[in-house]
Amino acid sequence: MQARCDDQSMDRNASPAAFTRIDRLLRDEPVVWLSSVRPDGRPHLVPIWFSWDGREILIASKPNAQKIRNIRGNPMVMLALGEAEDDFDVGLLEGTAELSEAPASAVLPASHLAKYRRQMAGIGLSPAEFLATYSQVIRIVPTRYLPWRGRTGAGDAERGWPLDRRLAASIRRVAGSRAARPASTAPGLQASLLA
């Protein structure tokens, strides 16, 4: 399914470019971090496998997991994805979660099982065992998209520059902007800084 920037659930304050970046992360990343709130108000954060169809996120869980108990009490969740090491090119989403009444075998798309086939095999689960164990599906509809960008310009990562080249370009921009500003330090301080 193609990402829809006009979807009713999309944050009206998010730019189409912000939505597109987060959509890319949702299509490329293998894990999303799900944050929910415990009944006593403490946060609960877990990395988890997920599927994204351009409109909603599907997560399979054990039926009695802490995140399920949290969502029953408070359906507001936050998701984080991306690698902070790659210049903080990450995405954050706020959303409303609902627990599916149908089992995972009836709700999860075949692409979900295909996406995680190697990881399931690595922990000794067949697709049927996975669906039986992680039978509770969480459906999350994003309500707000919050892209997060590190120190480089938004276009640098899209141009495919390696991190060190992007960092060097960023340093040159900062140095150039400082050189263009008039000196505002006292002459004595300025002399000691240059010494």
Side-chain angles (χ1 to χ4, degrees):
M1 174 184 265
Q2 193 61 264
R4 292 179 39 187
C5 291
D6 62 339
D7 191 276
Q8 291 292 342
S9 65
M10 186 179 147
D11 175 14
R12 296 293 178 200
N13 296 320
S15 71
F19 177 81
T20 300
R21 281 189 57 239
I22 292 175
D23 178 68
R24 175 186 51 81
L25 288 168
L26 285 165
R27 292 182 190 283
D28 294 345
E29 292 296 319
V31 172
V32 67
W33 289 82
L34 171 65
S35 177
S36 58
V37 181
R38 295 174 188 263
D40 65 3
R42 291 181 298 139
H44 181 254
L45 181 67
V46 293
I48 197 151
W49 298 344
F50 70 99
S51 291
W52 166 249
D53 67 4
R55 185 177 173 277
E56 62 188 11
I57 296 158
L58 298 177
I59 295 171
S61 174
K62 292 180 178 178
N64 295 315
Q66 181 66 53
K67 63 187 160 292
I68 300 300
R69 294 192 301 272
N70 296 347
I71 290 168
R72 280 195 180 104
N74 180 350
M76 303 310 295
V77 296
M78 190 159 196
L79 303 166
L81 63 157
E83 294 294 329
E85 292 83 22
D86 291 340
D87 196 31
F88 286 88
D89 185 13
V90 298
L92 305 172
L93 295 94
E94 292 177 353
T96 304
E98 75 175 42
L99 302 175
S100 173
E101 305 240 348
S105 59
V107 177
L108 286 181
S111 60
H112 186 90
L113 297 175
K115 181 178 179 182
Y116 298 108
R117 183 171 307 280
R118 184 179 53 79
Q119 291 92 332
M120 283 187 266
I123 59 174
L125 285 178
S126 70
E129 291 168 322
F130 173 83
L131 291 171
T133 303
Y134 298 90
S135 60
Q136 177 64 67
V137 173
I138 304 167
R139 175 177 279 116
I140 300 170
V141 176
T143 56
R144 189 169 177 208
Y145 298 90
L146 306 159
W148 190 269
R149 174 62 73 169
R151 292 185 176 96
T152 63
D156 295 346
E158 285 77 15
R159 283 193 283 269
W161 289 5
L163 180 58
D164 57 344
R165 186 170 173 200
R166 289 185 279 154
L167 185 56
S170 180
I171 291 168
R172 281 193 301 276
R173 281 194 299 273
V174 171
S177 69
R178 289 187 183 264
R181 282 188 277 170
S184 60
T185 57
L189 179 60
Q190 189 175 11
S192 67
L193 290 174
L194 295 174

